[in-house]
Amino acid sequence: MATVTELKAVLKDTLEKRGVLGHLKARIRAEVFNALDDEREPRPSLSHENLLINELIREYLEFNKYKYTASVLIADDHPEEEHGTKTHD
């Protein structure tokens, strides 16, 4: 019978091979930041220039295969995407 440590190692390897582990880590980080975010203090609306800058940063991250970092930026920058109302192609 396998030990708990061995099972953890196999599970971690499997999730890494499937490309899921990095996504899960990024998602957890985003959720931690969302939980810490003070919702009583509304964010100022972003100017057109700031939206453009954020989009350029997102494109840079995705171009360089920083897809997990990009997913945190998208989750933080566009909370409505969490509900499926907006997507990036």
Side-chain angles (χ1 to χ4, degrees):
M1 175 147 275
T3 67
V4 172
T5 304
E6 292 170 333
L7 290 174
K8 284 182 183 179
V10 169
L11 180 60
K12 182 180 176 186
D13 289 342
T14 302
L15 292 174
E16 282 177 343
K17 287 177 185 173
R18 292 184 181 177
V20 175
L21 188 60
H23 178 71
L24 289 173
K25 287 180 178 180
R27 182 74 183 157
I28 290 170
R29 276 192 295 275
E31 290 300 326
V32 167
F33 284 115
N34 284 338
L36 296 174
D37 195 17
D38 187 2
E39 294 178 9
R40 293 172 288 162
E41 221 176 286
R43 290 185 183 182
S45 60
L46 292 176
S47 68
H48 178 71
E49 292 81 10
N50 283 354
L51 289 172
L52 181 60
I53 290 168
N54 287 353
E55 191 64 18
L56 289 171
I57 292 169
R58 183 194 61 81
E59 285 183 17
Y60 165 81
L61 293 171
E62 290 180 355
F63 177 81
N64 287 292
K65 308 295 185 223
Y66 297 128
K67 57 186 173 182
Y68 308 121
T69 305
S71 72
V72 172
L73 172 68
I74 291 167
D76 192 41
D77 191 33
H78 303 289
E80 66 273 12
E81 288 185 14
E82 296 296 314
H83 301 93
T85 60
K86 187 173 179 184
T87 59
H88 289 286
D89 293 330

